[in-house]
Amino acid sequence: MEIPRRLIELRHAVEAADNRYRSNRGENATVALAVWSDATAALARGIAAYADETGVPHREVESAVQRAAGRHTSLD
């Protein structure tokens, strides 16, 4: 399955936000958690939309996005 670049980018944004959250404390952690939450919600919406578009089950799309994001660790 060919995963759109936008979904790979959203997955990378979630990972980056998670890393920022884990490395912050106090008020900075609260802001980082909000960023992570927004990124996670955007990824979930993107996966759901792509699953609806293609007719592929949501879990399969989610797994494919995770694998594709792992292969594309640096985006051009």
Side-chain angles (χ1 to χ4, degrees):
M1 159 182 358
E2 183 70 27
I3 298 300
R5 184 178 183 94
R6 65 181 155 68
L7 292 179
I8 295 169
E9 291 171 349
L10 286 171
R11 179 67 192 163
H12 284 227
V14 168
E15 292 167 2
D18 185 55
N19 289 336
R20 277 192 302 275
Y21 170 67
R22 291 175 188 277
S23 66
N24 280 289
R25 299 283 180 263
E27 203 170 301
N28 288 338
T30 302
V31 171
L33 180 59
V35 171
W36 173 84
S37 180
D38 290 347
T40 301
L43 176 60
R45 286 190 304 270
I47 288 172
Y50 188 70
D52 288 346
E53 262 175 49
T54 61
V56 175
H58 182 275
R59 294 235 185 250
E60 285 183 36
V61 173
E62 188 173 18
S63 293
V65 168
Q66 210 164 355
R67 285 190 306 275
R71 286 192 304 270
H72 297 94
T73 56
S74 67
L75 297 173
D76 305 291

Short mmCIF file of all heavy atoms in Angstrom, two decimals:
data_model
loop_
_atom_site.label_atom_id
_atom_site.label_comp_id
_atom_site.label_asym_id
_atom_site.label_seq_id
_atom_site.Cartn_x
_atom_site.Cartn_y
_atom_site.Cartn_z
N MET A 1 0.85 -1.17 0.00
CA MET A 1 0.00 0.00 0.00
C MET A 1 0.90 1.24 0.00
O MET A 1 1.84 1.32 0.78
CB MET A 1 -0.91 -0.09 1.24
CG MET A 1 -1.48 1.19 1.69
SD MET A 1 -2.53 1.13 3.21
CE MET A 1 -2.59 -0.54 3.70
N GLU A 2 0.63 2.15 -0.87
CA GLU A 2 1.38 3.40 -0.97
C GLU A 2 0.80 4.41 0.04
O GLU A 2 -0.36 4.81 -0.08
CB GLU A 2 1.28 3.96 -2.39
CG GLU A 2 2.08 5.20 -2.63
CD GLU A 2 3.57 4.96 -2.63
OE1 GLU A 2 4.01 3.84 -2.94
OE2 GLU A 2 4.31 5.91 -2.31
N ILE A 3 1.60 4.79 1.01
CA ILE A 3 1.15 5.72 2.05
C ILE A 3 1.47 7.14 1.62
O ILE A 3 2.62 7.45 1.26
CB ILE A 3 1.84 5.40 3.39
CG1 ILE A 3 1.47 4.00 3.86
CG2 ILE A 3 1.47 6.43 4.45
CD1 ILE A 3 0.00 3.77 4.09
N PRO A 4 0.47 8.03 1.65
CA PRO A 4 0.72 9.42 1.28
C PRO A 4 1.75 10.08 2.20
O PRO A 4 1.78 9.82 3.41
CB PRO A 4 -0.64 10.09 1.44
CG PRO A 4 -1.64 8.99 1.42
CD PRO A 4 -0.94 7.80 1.98
N ARG A 5 2.55 10.92 1.62
CA ARG A 5 3.61 11.64 2.35
C ARG A 5 3.04 12.42 3.53
O ARG A 5 3.64 12.49 4.60
CB ARG A 5 4.34 12.57 1.38
CG ARG A 5 5.51 13.29 2.00
CD ARG A 5 6.21 14.15 0.95
NE ARG A 5 7.36 14.77 1.50
CZ ARG A 5 8.60 14.29 1.44
NH1 ARG A 5 8.81 13.15 0.82
NH2 ARG A 5 9.60 14.93 1.97
N ARG A 6 1.86 12.98 3.37
CA ARG A 6 1.24 13.78 4.45
C ARG A 6 1.03 12.94 5.70
O ARG A 6 1.21 13.43 6.82
CB ARG A 6 -0.04 14.44 3.99
CG ARG A 6 -1.17 13.49 3.65
CD ARG A 6 -2.43 14.23 3.16
NE ARG A 6 -3.29 13.45 2.33
CZ ARG A 6 -4.01 12.39 2.71
NH1 ARG A 6 -3.94 11.98 3.94
NH2 ARG A 6 -4.80 11.76 1.87
N LEU A 7 0.69 11.66 5.53
CA LEU A 7 0.50 10.80 6.70
C LEU A 7 1.84 10.47 7.37
O LEU A 7 1.92 10.40 8.60
CB LEU A 7 -0.25 9.53 6.32
CG LEU A 7 -1.71 9.72 5.90
CD1 LEU A 7 -2.34 8.38 5.53
CD2 LEU A 7 -2.52 10.41 6.99
N ILE A 8 2.85 10.28 6.56
CA ILE A 8 4.19 10.04 7.11
C ILE A 8 4.66 11.27 7.88
O ILE A 8 5.20 11.16 8.99
CB ILE A 8 5.19 9.67 5.99
CG1 ILE A 8 4.78 8.33 5.37
CG2 ILE A 8 6.62 9.62 6.52
CD1 ILE A 8 5.51 7.99 4.09
N GLU A 9 4.43 12.44 7.32
CA GLU A 9 4.82 13.68 8.00
C GLU A 9 4.05 13.86 9.31
O GLU A 9 4.62 14.30 10.31
CB GLU A 9 4.60 14.87 7.08
CG GLU A 9 5.57 14.89 5.92
CD GLU A 9 5.25 15.93 4.86
OE1 GLU A 9 4.15 16.52 4.89
OE2 GLU A 9 6.10 16.12 3.97
N LEU A 10 2.76 13.51 9.31
CA LEU A 10 1.98 13.61 10.54
C LEU A 10 2.52 12.65 11.60
O LEU A 10 2.61 13.00 12.77
CB LEU A 10 0.50 13.31 10.27
CG LEU A 10 -0.28 14.41 9.56
CD1 LEU A 10 -1.67 13.91 9.14
CD2 LEU A 10 -0.41 15.64 10.46
N ARG A 11 2.90 11.45 11.19
CA ARG A 11 3.46 10.47 12.12
C ARG A 11 4.77 10.99 12.72
O ARG A 11 5.01 10.88 13.92
CB ARG A 11 3.68 9.14 11.42
CG ARG A 11 4.28 8.08 12.28
CD ARG A 11 3.34 7.65 13.37
NE ARG A 11 4.08 6.83 14.32
CZ ARG A 11 3.68 6.55 15.53
NH1 ARG A 11 2.52 6.98 15.95
NH2 ARG A 11 4.41 5.82 16.32
N HIS A 12 5.60 11.61 11.88
CA HIS A 12 6.85 12.18 12.38
C HIS A 12 6.58 13.34 13.34
O HIS A 12 7.31 13.51 14.32
CB HIS A 12 7.72 12.65 11.21
CG HIS A 12 8.39 11.53 10.50
ND1 HIS A 12 9.71 11.53 10.16
CD2 HIS A 12 7.92 10.34 10.05
CE1 HIS A 12 10.03 10.41 9.55
NE2 HIS A 12 8.94 9.67 9.47
N ALA A 13 5.53 14.11 13.07
CA ALA A 13 5.18 15.22 13.96
C ALA A 13 4.76 14.69 15.33
O ALA A 13 5.12 15.27 16.36
CB ALA A 13 4.06 16.06 13.35
N VAL A 14 4.03 13.57 15.35
CA VAL A 14 3.63 12.96 16.63
C VAL A 14 4.86 12.50 17.39
O VAL A 14 4.99 12.74 18.60
CB VAL A 14 2.64 11.79 16.40
CG1 VAL A 14 2.45 10.97 17.67
CG2 VAL A 14 1.31 12.31 15.89
N GLU A 15 5.78 11.86 16.70
CA GLU A 15 7.00 11.37 17.35
C GLU A 15 7.83 12.53 17.91
O GLU A 15 8.34 12.45 19.03
CB GLU A 15 7.83 10.55 16.37
CG GLU A 15 7.15 9.23 16.00
CD GLU A 15 7.78 8.54 14.81
OE1 GLU A 15 8.78 9.04 14.25
OE2 GLU A 15 7.24 7.49 14.43
N ALA A 16 7.96 13.59 17.14
CA ALA A 16 8.72 14.76 17.60
C ALA A 16 8.05 15.40 18.81
O ALA A 16 8.72 15.77 19.78
CB ALA A 16 8.87 15.77 16.47
N ALA A 17 6.73 15.51 18.77
CA ALA A 17 6.00 16.10 19.89
C ALA A 17 6.13 15.22 21.14
O ALA A 17 6.28 15.74 22.25
CB ALA A 17 4.53 16.28 19.52
N ASP A 18 6.10 13.92 20.95
CA ASP A 18 6.27 13.00 22.08
C ASP A 18 7.65 13.18 22.71
O ASP A 18 7.79 13.24 23.94
CB ASP A 18 6.07 11.56 21.62
CG ASP A 18 6.12 10.58 22.77
OD1 ASP A 18 5.36 10.75 23.75
OD2 ASP A 18 6.94 9.64 22.70
N ASN A 19 8.67 13.28 21.88
CA ASN A 19 10.03 13.50 22.39
C ASN A 19 10.15 14.81 23.16
O ASN A 19 10.79 14.86 24.20
CB ASN A 19 11.05 13.46 21.25
CG ASN A 19 11.24 12.07 20.70
OD1 ASN A 19 10.99 11.08 21.38
ND2 ASN A 19 11.67 11.99 19.46
N ARG A 20 9.53 15.87 22.63
CA ARG A 20 9.56 17.17 23.33
C ARG A 20 8.85 17.06 24.68
O ARG A 20 9.32 17.58 25.69
CB ARG A 20 8.90 18.26 22.49
CG ARG A 20 9.83 18.86 21.47
CD ARG A 20 9.25 20.13 20.85
NE ARG A 20 7.97 19.91 20.21
CZ ARG A 20 7.80 19.47 18.97
NH1 ARG A 20 8.83 19.19 18.20
NH2 ARG A 20 6.59 19.30 18.48
N TYR A 21 7.71 16.38 24.70
CA TYR A 21 6.95 16.24 25.95
C TYR A 21 7.78 15.50 26.99
O TYR A 21 7.87 15.90 28.14
CB TYR A 21 5.64 15.49 25.69
CG TYR A 21 4.94 15.11 26.97
CD1 TYR A 21 4.41 16.09 27.80
CD2 TYR A 21 4.81 13.79 27.35
CE1 TYR A 21 3.79 15.76 28.99
CE2 TYR A 21 4.19 13.44 28.53
CZ TYR A 21 3.67 14.43 29.35
OH TYR A 21 3.06 14.09 30.52
N ARG A 22 8.42 14.42 26.58
CA ARG A 22 9.18 13.60 27.52
C ARG A 22 10.42 14.33 28.08
O ARG A 22 10.91 13.99 29.14
CB ARG A 22 9.61 12.29 26.87
CG ARG A 22 8.44 11.37 26.61
CD ARG A 22 8.86 10.13 25.86
NE ARG A 22 7.71 9.35 25.46
CZ ARG A 22 7.09 8.48 26.23
NH1 ARG A 22 7.48 8.31 27.47
NH2 ARG A 22 6.05 7.81 25.78
N SER A 23 10.91 15.33 27.35
CA SER A 23 12.12 16.01 27.80
C SER A 23 11.83 17.34 28.52
O SER A 23 12.75 18.06 28.86
CB SER A 23 13.06 16.26 26.62
OG SER A 23 12.47 17.17 25.71
N ASN A 24 10.56 17.64 28.76
CA ASN A 24 10.19 18.89 29.42
C ASN A 24 9.56 18.62 30.77
O ASN A 24 9.05 17.53 31.04
CB ASN A 24 9.22 19.69 28.56
CG ASN A 24 9.92 20.44 27.46
OD1 ASN A 24 10.62 21.40 27.73
ND2 ASN A 24 9.77 19.99 26.23
N ARG A 25 9.57 19.64 31.61
CA ARG A 25 8.96 19.57 32.94
C ARG A 25 8.10 20.82 33.16
O ARG A 25 8.29 21.84 32.52
CB ARG A 25 10.04 19.54 34.03
CG ARG A 25 10.96 18.35 33.94
CD ARG A 25 10.27 17.09 34.48
NE ARG A 25 11.12 15.93 34.42
CZ ARG A 25 11.09 15.02 33.44
NH1 ARG A 25 10.28 15.16 32.44
NH2 ARG A 25 11.88 13.98 33.49
N GLY A 26 7.18 20.71 34.08
CA GLY A 26 6.36 21.85 34.49
C GLY A 26 5.52 22.41 33.37
O GLY A 26 4.87 21.69 32.63
N GLU A 27 5.53 23.73 33.30
CA GLU A 27 4.70 24.43 32.32
C GLU A 27 5.07 24.05 30.88
O GLU A 27 4.20 23.92 30.03
CB GLU A 27 4.85 25.94 32.52
CG GLU A 27 3.70 26.74 31.98
CD GLU A 27 3.78 28.18 32.41
OE1 GLU A 27 3.80 28.43 33.64
OE2 GLU A 27 3.84 29.03 31.52
N ASN A 28 6.36 23.88 30.62
CA ASN A 28 6.79 23.47 29.28
C ASN A 28 6.21 22.11 28.90
O ASN A 28 5.86 21.87 27.75
CB ASN A 28 8.31 23.43 29.18
CG ASN A 28 8.92 24.81 29.17
OD1 ASN A 28 8.28 25.80 28.84
ND2 ASN A 28 10.17 24.89 29.57
N ALA A 29 6.11 21.22 29.86
CA ALA A 29 5.55 19.90 29.61
C ALA A 29 4.07 20.01 29.26
O ALA A 29 3.56 19.28 28.41
CB ALA A 29 5.76 18.98 30.80
N THR A 30 3.37 20.94 29.91
CA THR A 30 1.95 21.14 29.64
C THR A 30 1.75 21.61 28.20
O THR A 30 0.87 21.11 27.49
CB THR A 30 1.35 22.16 30.62
OG1 THR A 30 1.54 21.67 31.95
CG2 THR A 30 -0.13 22.37 30.37
N VAL A 31 2.57 22.53 27.77
CA VAL A 31 2.49 23.02 26.38
C VAL A 31 2.86 21.90 25.41
O VAL A 31 2.17 21.68 24.41
CB VAL A 31 3.41 24.25 26.18
CG1 VAL A 31 3.50 24.62 24.71
CG2 VAL A 31 2.94 25.42 27.02
N ALA A 32 3.91 21.17 25.73
CA ALA A 32 4.34 20.07 24.86
C ALA A 32 3.27 18.99 24.77
O ALA A 32 3.05 18.39 23.71
CB ALA A 32 5.66 19.48 25.36
N LEU A 33 2.57 18.74 25.87
CA LEU A 33 1.49 17.75 25.87
C LEU A 33 0.35 18.20 24.95
O LEU A 33 -0.22 17.39 24.22
CB LEU A 33 0.98 17.51 27.29
CG LEU A 33 -0.16 16.50 27.43
CD1 LEU A 33 0.27 15.13 26.90
CD2 LEU A 33 -0.61 16.41 28.87
N ALA A 34 0.04 19.48 24.97
CA ALA A 34 -1.01 20.02 24.10
C ALA A 34 -0.61 19.86 22.63
O ALA A 34 -1.44 19.49 21.79
CB ALA A 34 -1.29 21.48 24.43
N VAL A 35 0.65 20.12 22.32
CA VAL A 35 1.14 19.96 20.95
C VAL A 35 1.05 18.49 20.54
O VAL A 35 0.60 18.17 19.43
CB VAL A 35 2.59 20.49 20.80
CG1 VAL A 35 3.18 20.14 19.45
CG2 VAL A 35 2.62 22.00 21.02
N TRP A 36 1.46 17.60 21.43
CA TRP A 36 1.38 16.16 21.15
C TRP A 36 -0.07 15.74 20.91
O TRP A 36 -0.37 14.99 19.98
CB TRP A 36 1.97 15.36 22.31
CG TRP A 36 1.75 13.89 22.15
CD1 TRP A 36 2.50 13.02 21.44
CD2 TRP A 36 0.67 13.13 22.70
NE1 TRP A 36 1.97 11.75 21.50
CE2 TRP A 36 0.84 11.80 22.28
CE3 TRP A 36 -0.42 13.44 23.50
CZ2 TRP A 36 -0.04 10.78 22.64
CZ3 TRP A 36 -1.29 12.43 23.86
CH2 TRP A 36 -1.09 11.13 23.43
N SER A 37 -0.97 16.23 21.73
CA SER A 37 -2.38 15.89 21.61
C SER A 37 -2.94 16.35 20.26
O SER A 37 -3.65 15.60 19.58
CB SER A 37 -3.18 16.53 22.75
OG SER A 37 -4.54 16.23 22.64
N ASP A 38 -2.61 17.56 19.85
CA ASP A 38 -3.06 18.08 18.56
C ASP A 38 -2.49 17.27 17.40
O ASP A 38 -3.20 16.95 16.44
CB ASP A 38 -2.67 19.55 18.39
CG ASP A 38 -3.45 20.48 19.31
OD1 ASP A 38 -4.47 20.04 19.90
OD2 ASP A 38 -3.03 21.65 19.45
N ALA A 39 -1.21 16.92 17.50
CA ALA A 39 -0.56 16.15 16.43
C ALA A 39 -1.17 14.75 16.34
O ALA A 39 -1.42 14.23 15.24
CB ALA A 39 0.94 16.06 16.69
N THR A 40 -1.44 14.15 17.48
CA THR A 40 -2.04 12.81 17.51
C THR A 40 -3.44 12.84 16.91
O THR A 40 -3.82 11.95 16.13
CB THR A 40 -2.07 12.28 18.95
OG1 THR A 40 -0.73 12.23 19.44
CG2 THR A 40 -2.67 10.90 19.03
N ALA A 41 -4.21 13.86 17.24
CA ALA A 41 -5.57 13.98 16.68
C ALA A 41 -5.52 14.19 15.17
O ALA A 41 -6.32 13.60 14.43
CB ALA A 41 -6.31 15.15 17.35
N ALA A 42 -4.58 14.98 14.69
CA ALA A 42 -4.45 15.21 13.25
C ALA A 42 -4.08 13.91 12.53
O ALA A 42 -4.62 13.61 11.45
CB ALA A 42 -3.40 16.29 12.98
N LEU A 43 -3.18 13.14 13.12
CA LEU A 43 -2.80 11.86 12.53
C LEU A 43 -3.99 10.91 12.50
O LEU A 43 -4.24 10.25 11.48
CB LEU A 43 -1.64 11.23 13.30
CG LEU A 43 -1.20 9.85 12.83
CD1 LEU A 43 -0.75 9.87 11.37
CD2 LEU A 43 -0.10 9.30 13.73
N ALA A 44 -4.74 10.84 13.58
CA ALA A 44 -5.91 9.96 13.64
C ALA A 44 -6.94 10.35 12.57
O ALA A 44 -7.49 9.47 11.88
CB ALA A 44 -6.53 10.00 15.03
N ARG A 45 -7.16 11.64 12.39
CA ARG A 45 -8.09 12.10 11.35
C ARG A 45 -7.58 11.73 9.97
O ARG A 45 -8.35 11.30 9.10
CB ARG A 45 -8.31 13.62 11.45
CG ARG A 45 -9.19 14.03 12.61
CD ARG A 45 -9.57 15.51 12.53
NE ARG A 45 -8.42 16.40 12.44
CZ ARG A 45 -7.79 16.92 13.49
NH1 ARG A 45 -8.20 16.64 14.72
NH2 ARG A 45 -6.77 17.73 13.32
N GLY A 46 -6.28 11.91 9.76
CA GLY A 46 -5.69 11.59 8.46
C GLY A 46 -5.78 10.10 8.14
O GLY A 46 -6.11 9.72 7.01
N ILE A 47 -5.51 9.27 9.12
CA ILE A 47 -5.59 7.82 8.93
C ILE A 47 -7.04 7.42 8.64
O ILE A 47 -7.30 6.63 7.73
CB ILE A 47 -5.02 7.07 10.15
CG1 ILE A 47 -3.50 7.22 10.16
CG2 ILE A 47 -5.44 5.60 10.14
CD1 ILE A 47 -2.83 6.68 11.42
N ALA A 48 -7.98 7.96 9.40
CA ALA A 48 -9.39 7.64 9.19
C ALA A 48 -9.86 8.06 7.80
O ALA A 48 -10.55 7.29 7.11
CB ALA A 48 -10.25 8.30 10.27
N ALA A 49 -9.45 9.24 7.37
CA ALA A 49 -9.85 9.72 6.04
C ALA A 49 -9.26 8.84 4.95
O ALA A 49 -9.96 8.49 3.98
CB ALA A 49 -9.40 11.17 5.86
N TYR A 50 -8.00 8.46 5.10
CA TYR A 50 -7.35 7.62 4.09
C TYR A 50 -7.99 6.23 4.07
O TYR A 50 -8.20 5.65 3.00
CB TYR A 50 -5.86 7.53 4.36
CG TYR A 50 -5.10 6.83 3.25
CD1 TYR A 50 -4.94 7.42 2.00
CD2 TYR A 50 -4.57 5.56 3.44
CE1 TYR A 50 -4.27 6.78 0.99
CE2 TYR A 50 -3.88 4.91 2.44
CZ TYR A 50 -3.74 5.53 1.20
OH TYR A 50 -3.07 4.88 0.19
N ALA A 51 -8.31 5.69 5.23
CA ALA A 51 -8.98 4.39 5.30
C ALA A 51 -10.34 4.45 4.61
O ALA A 51 -10.70 3.55 3.85
CB ALA A 51 -9.13 3.95 6.76
N ASP A 52 -11.08 5.53 4.84
CA ASP A 52 -12.37 5.70 4.17
C ASP A 52 -12.22 5.83 2.66
O ASP A 52 -12.99 5.25 1.90
CB ASP A 52 -13.10 6.93 4.72
CG ASP A 52 -13.62 6.72 6.13
OD1 ASP A 52 -13.66 5.56 6.60
OD2 ASP A 52 -13.98 7.74 6.77
N GLU A 53 -11.22 6.61 2.24
CA GLU A 53 -10.94 6.82 0.81
C GLU A 53 -10.63 5.52 0.08
O GLU A 53 -11.08 5.29 -1.03
CB GLU A 53 -9.69 7.70 0.66
CG GLU A 53 -9.90 9.13 0.41
CD GLU A 53 -8.55 9.84 0.40
OE1 GLU A 53 -7.60 9.38 -0.29
OE2 GLU A 53 -8.44 10.87 1.10
N THR A 54 -9.80 4.71 0.72
CA THR A 54 -9.28 3.52 0.05
C THR A 54 -10.06 2.24 0.35
O THR A 54 -9.89 1.24 -0.35
CB THR A 54 -7.81 3.27 0.47
OG1 THR A 54 -7.75 3.06 1.88
CG2 THR A 54 -6.93 4.44 0.06
N GLY A 55 -10.87 2.26 1.40
CA GLY A 55 -11.59 1.07 1.80
C GLY A 55 -10.72 0.06 2.56
O GLY A 55 -11.15 -1.06 2.81
N VAL A 56 -9.51 0.46 2.91
CA VAL A 56 -8.60 -0.39 3.67
C VAL A 56 -8.95 -0.23 5.15
O VAL A 56 -9.18 0.89 5.61
CB VAL A 56 -7.13 0.01 3.41
CG1 VAL A 56 -6.18 -0.78 4.28
CG2 VAL A 56 -6.80 -0.16 1.93
N PRO A 57 -8.98 -1.32 5.91
CA PRO A 57 -9.29 -1.20 7.34
C PRO A 57 -8.34 -0.23 8.05
O PRO A 57 -7.15 -0.16 7.77
CB PRO A 57 -9.10 -2.63 7.86
CG PRO A 57 -9.35 -3.49 6.68
CD PRO A 57 -8.80 -2.71 5.50
N HIS A 58 -8.91 0.49 9.00
CA HIS A 58 -8.18 1.51 9.75
C HIS A 58 -6.89 0.96 10.34
O HIS A 58 -5.83 1.59 10.24
CB HIS A 58 -9.10 2.06 10.85
CG HIS A 58 -8.50 3.14 11.66
ND1 HIS A 58 -7.69 2.89 12.75
CD2 HIS A 58 -8.58 4.48 11.55
CE1 HIS A 58 -7.31 4.04 13.28
NE2 HIS A 58 -7.84 5.02 12.58
N ARG A 59 -6.96 -0.18 10.99
CA ARG A 59 -5.76 -0.76 11.64
C ARG A 59 -4.66 -1.05 10.63
O ARG A 59 -3.48 -0.89 10.93
CB ARG A 59 -6.13 -2.03 12.39
CG ARG A 59 -7.03 -1.77 13.56
CD ARG A 59 -6.42 -2.34 14.81
NE ARG A 59 -7.36 -2.19 15.92
CZ ARG A 59 -7.15 -1.36 16.91
NH1 ARG A 59 -6.08 -0.62 16.94
NH2 ARG A 59 -8.03 -1.27 17.89
N GLU A 60 -5.04 -1.50 9.43
CA GLU A 60 -4.03 -1.77 8.40
C GLU A 60 -3.35 -0.48 7.95
O GLU A 60 -2.14 -0.45 7.74
CB GLU A 60 -4.66 -2.48 7.20
CG GLU A 60 -4.96 -3.93 7.45
CD GLU A 60 -5.52 -4.61 6.21
OE1 GLU A 60 -5.09 -4.28 5.08
OE2 GLU A 60 -6.39 -5.47 6.39
N VAL A 61 -4.15 0.58 7.80
CA VAL A 61 -3.57 1.87 7.40
C VAL A 61 -2.65 2.37 8.50
O VAL A 61 -1.53 2.81 8.23
CB VAL A 61 -4.68 2.91 7.11
CG1 VAL A 61 -4.08 4.29 6.86
CG2 VAL A 61 -5.52 2.48 5.92
N GLU A 62 -3.10 2.27 9.74
CA GLU A 62 -2.28 2.73 10.87
C GLU A 62 -0.94 1.99 10.92
O GLU A 62 0.12 2.62 11.07
CB GLU A 62 -3.05 2.51 12.17
CG GLU A 62 -2.40 3.11 13.37
CD GLU A 62 -3.29 3.02 14.61
OE1 GLU A 62 -4.23 2.21 14.63
OE2 GLU A 62 -3.00 3.76 15.56
N SER A 63 -0.97 0.68 10.74
CA SER A 63 0.27 -0.11 10.74
C SER A 63 1.17 0.26 9.57
O SER A 63 2.39 0.38 9.71
CB SER A 63 -0.06 -1.60 10.68
OG SER A 63 -0.69 -2.01 11.85
N ALA A 64 0.57 0.47 8.41
CA ALA A 64 1.34 0.82 7.22
C ALA A 64 2.00 2.19 7.38
O ALA A 64 3.14 2.40 6.96
CB ALA A 64 0.46 0.79 5.98
N VAL A 65 1.29 3.13 8.00
CA VAL A 65 1.85 4.46 8.25
C VAL A 65 3.04 4.35 9.19
O VAL A 65 4.10 4.94 8.95
CB VAL A 65 0.79 5.43 8.83
CG1 VAL A 65 1.43 6.71 9.36
CG2 VAL A 65 -0.26 5.75 7.78
N GLN A 66 2.90 3.55 10.22
CA GLN A 66 4.00 3.37 11.18
C GLN A 66 5.23 2.78 10.49
O GLN A 66 6.35 3.25 10.70
CB GLN A 66 3.54 2.46 12.31
CG GLN A 66 4.19 2.74 13.60
CD GLN A 66 3.44 2.09 14.76
OE1 GLN A 66 2.38 1.51 14.61
NE2 GLN A 66 4.01 2.21 15.92
N ARG A 67 5.01 1.76 9.67
CA ARG A 67 6.15 1.15 8.94
C ARG A 67 6.77 2.15 7.98
O ARG A 67 7.99 2.27 7.89
CB ARG A 67 5.68 -0.09 8.17
CG ARG A 67 5.43 -1.29 9.05
CD ARG A 67 5.20 -2.55 8.23
NE ARG A 67 4.16 -2.44 7.22
CZ ARG A 67 2.86 -2.65 7.47
NH1 ARG A 67 2.44 -2.98 8.66
NH2 ARG A 67 1.99 -2.53 6.48
N ALA A 68 5.93 2.87 7.24
CA ALA A 68 6.44 3.84 6.26
C ALA A 68 7.22 4.96 6.96
O ALA A 68 8.26 5.39 6.46
CB ALA A 68 5.29 4.42 5.45
N ALA A 69 6.73 5.43 8.09
CA ALA A 69 7.42 6.49 8.82
C ALA A 69 8.77 6.01 9.32
O ALA A 69 9.73 6.78 9.34
CB ALA A 69 6.57 6.98 9.99
N GLY A 70 8.85 4.75 9.69
CA GLY A 70 10.14 4.18 10.13
C GLY A 70 11.14 4.11 9.00
O GLY A 70 12.33 4.27 9.21
N ARG A 71 10.67 3.86 7.80
CA ARG A 71 11.57 3.80 6.63
C ARG A 71 11.99 5.19 6.18
O ARG A 71 13.04 5.36 5.58
CB ARG A 71 10.86 3.10 5.46
CG ARG A 71 10.74 1.62 5.63
CD ARG A 71 10.31 0.95 4.34
NE ARG A 71 9.07 1.47 3.78
CZ ARG A 71 7.86 1.01 4.07
NH1 ARG A 71 7.69 0.04 4.94
NH2 ARG A 71 6.79 1.52 3.49
N HIS A 72 11.17 6.20 6.44
CA HIS A 72 11.47 7.58 6.03
C HIS A 72 11.79 8.41 7.25
O HIS A 72 11.04 9.29 7.65
CB HIS A 72 10.26 8.18 5.30
CG HIS A 72 9.89 7.49 4.05
ND1 HIS A 72 8.94 6.50 4.00
CD2 HIS A 72 10.39 7.60 2.80
CE1 HIS A 72 8.84 6.05 2.77
NE2 HIS A 72 9.71 6.68 2.03
N THR A 73 12.92 8.13 7.85
CA THR A 73 13.28 8.85 9.07
C THR A 73 13.66 10.29 8.84
O THR A 73 13.56 11.11 9.72
CB THR A 73 14.40 8.13 9.84
OG1 THR A 73 15.50 7.95 8.97
CG2 THR A 73 13.93 6.80 10.37
N SER A 74 14.10 10.63 7.64
CA SER A 74 14.38 12.03 7.34
C SER A 74 13.65 12.38 6.06
O SER A 74 13.80 11.71 5.04
CB SER A 74 15.86 12.30 7.18
OG SER A 74 16.39 11.65 6.05
N LEU A 75 12.82 13.40 6.15
CA LEU A 75 12.03 13.82 4.99
C LEU A 75 12.75 14.92 4.24
O LEU A 75 13.30 15.84 4.83
CB LEU A 75 10.65 14.31 5.45
CG LEU A 75 9.79 13.22 6.12
CD1 LEU A 75 8.53 13.85 6.68
CD2 LEU A 75 9.45 12.12 5.17
N ASP A 76 12.75 14.83 2.93
CA ASP A 76 13.41 15.84 2.09
C ASP A 76 12.58 17.10 2.03
O ASP A 76 11.42 17.10 1.99
CB ASP A 76 13.60 15.32 0.67
CG ASP A 76 14.37 14.00 0.66
OD1 ASP A 76 15.56 14.04 0.99
OD2 ASP A 76 13.77 12.97 0.34
#
